[in-house]
Structure formats: C-alpha cells, structure tokens
Amino acid sequence: MGRVEARHVLALRQILASTSWLQRVEDLARSLRHTRSPGGLMLVGTPDDEPWHLAAHLSDESRYAGLPQLAPNLVRWSPPPGAPPHLSIDLDRLAEARRGDTLFVVNPAEEAPAPLLERVDDARRTGTTILALDRGDRDLASLAHDAISLPAGDAPLTFDGLQHLVSSAAGQQEDSRRPRLRDRVSRFLDVVSGPRSPG
C-alpha cells in the first residue's frame, strides 16, 4: 500500500465511525456467504469493465476461510476464443442461474447498460439472489436483494476500496474467535495513522 496522507486516514475513520458503512459491508458479505454451493456465485461487470480484481480477492478469501461457495465464476461478456475454462464463462451462465445461486453485479459506472439490467432481471425471475455494488444506479438497486452504492466523489472511500472491504468481510466466519471487520479496519487505521491520543 502506498503512503497514505493523514487527512485521508482521518476522513476514512470519520466515514466508518459516523455511518453504517461497515455494517452494510458485513450484511452484503453475509449474503455472499449464503450462496448454497460451490459454483453458485456468479460475478459480472459491464462490457467495458470486468471485475477481475474482486474475483481474485473473493477466490483468495474462499481458500483462506475454507468457504468454497465464495469462489466466483467470473461471467464475461465476450470471452476470447481458446480462453481457459475458468476464463471462458459467458453470459449463457446467467440463463442457467436458479434458486440458491447468487449473482453479484459490479457496476463502476453511474448507470448500468440496458443489456446487463435485462439479464439481471431474467436471473432474478428464476429465483437467483441478486447482489450489487454500484455508483447509485436506481434501476440496478431496484433489482437487487441487497446492494451497496457508492456515488462518485464520496472520497476518501473509493470504489476499489469498497470492493476490498466487501471481499475481506466475505471471508470472515461467523465466529467470535476471529476479529470482526470493524476491529480489523480499526487496527489497520491505528497502524497507518499511529495510536489515537486519549480524550
């Protein structure tokens, strides 16, 4: 992680302390963990922005936490010919989605393209759980069973940072022996900014 300015750390601390961000992240992560079986979690972005980074982090969390249902199938709009099987899952996978499956939609733009919304709506009608991480798209949020929106300009929390929070929280077991995300973030902020003075 690069050098973090103290004012950014302070702003992040204020956001996390004075709003429900962490609770919202934990709620979405719990929904991800409720995917019934391995292979049932689908992750899709837009034609111009596939969520590779989040897919990698969820796969890592799946291995680390022993939660195979968290390893996502990255659904791609146009996989190139000859791509390996795990990189060649196309939009036909959404048509096969059923109850017990989870479709996690990541849209970094302010509005989701109409073809994406249509496919999400189709998957929802088959009983698939729809989760979304977006920039405030009302149409996408109306289709989602659970969503977190981060409107553009809500610094210092970035869209990438929010994805990191979600993937990290998803790997947490519902176990009191493991520190909660809130505690992990607090410790991280203390390391970066130094201990807080009393009072």
Side-chain angles (χ1 to χ4, degrees):
M1 173 166 197
R3 186 173 179 180
V4 181
E5 295 181 20
R7 64 187 176 84
H8 290 149
V9 173
L10 178 59
L12 179 58
R13 189 190 306 270
Q14 290 171 344
I15 286 174
L16 298 176
S18 64
T19 72
S20 58
W21 278 110
L22 289 181
Q23 186 60 53
R24 290 166 62 200
V25 163
E26 289 171 0
D27 290 344
L28 188 67
R30 189 174 302 110
S31 296
L32 283 168
R33 286 193 301 270
H34 283 166
T35 303
R36 285 188 190 165
S37 58
L41 175 59
M42 297 162 286
L43 181 62
V44 69
T46 65
D48 299 324
D49 199 331
E50 295 179 326
W52 292 91
H53 197 68
L54 181 56
H57 281 290
L58 284 171
S59 293
D60 289 344
E61 290 293 339
S62 169
R63 284 190 301 274
Y64 173 72
L67 297 170
Q69 73 271 25
L70 275 183
N73 287 313
L74 179 62
V75 177
R76 305 180 67 192
W77 288 79
S78 300
H86 70 288
L87 298 178
S88 62
I89 301 169
D90 63 17
L91 295 173
D92 289 342
R93 174 62 180 93
L94 301 185
E96 300 166 2
R98 296 291 178 260
R99 188 171 305 281
D101 288 343
T102 301
L103 176 58
F104 188 14
V105 184
V106 179
N107 178 30
E110 291 186 16
E111 294 183 359
L116 175 59
L117 293 173
E118 290 167 7
R119 290 177 182 274
V120 170
D121 185 44
D122 290 344
R124 182 183 167 106
R125 290 173 192 271
T126 66
T128 302
T129 299
I130 309 297
L131 306 178
L133 195 61
D134 62 45
R135 289 289 196 177
D137 186 326
R138 291 182 181 178
D139 291 330
L140 181 55
S142 72
L143 293 172
H145 294 95
D146 196 356
I148 297 180
S149 295
L150 179 67
D154 274 10
L157 188 59
T158 65
F159 197 70
D160 283 343
L162 186 54
Q163 291 179 64
H164 280 285
L165 288 175
V166 169
S167 62
S168 177
Q172 288 188 351
Q173 300 280 8
E174 304 279 351
D175 185 335
S176 60
R177 292 173 297 175
R178 285 192 68 187
R180 297 183 67 207
L181 176 63
R182 189 182 323 260
D183 300 325
R184 290 165 62 188
V185 170
S186 178
R187 280 199 310 273
F188 165 76
L189 292 174
D190 285 340
V191 168
V192 172
S193 65
R196 287 167 279 186
S197 57

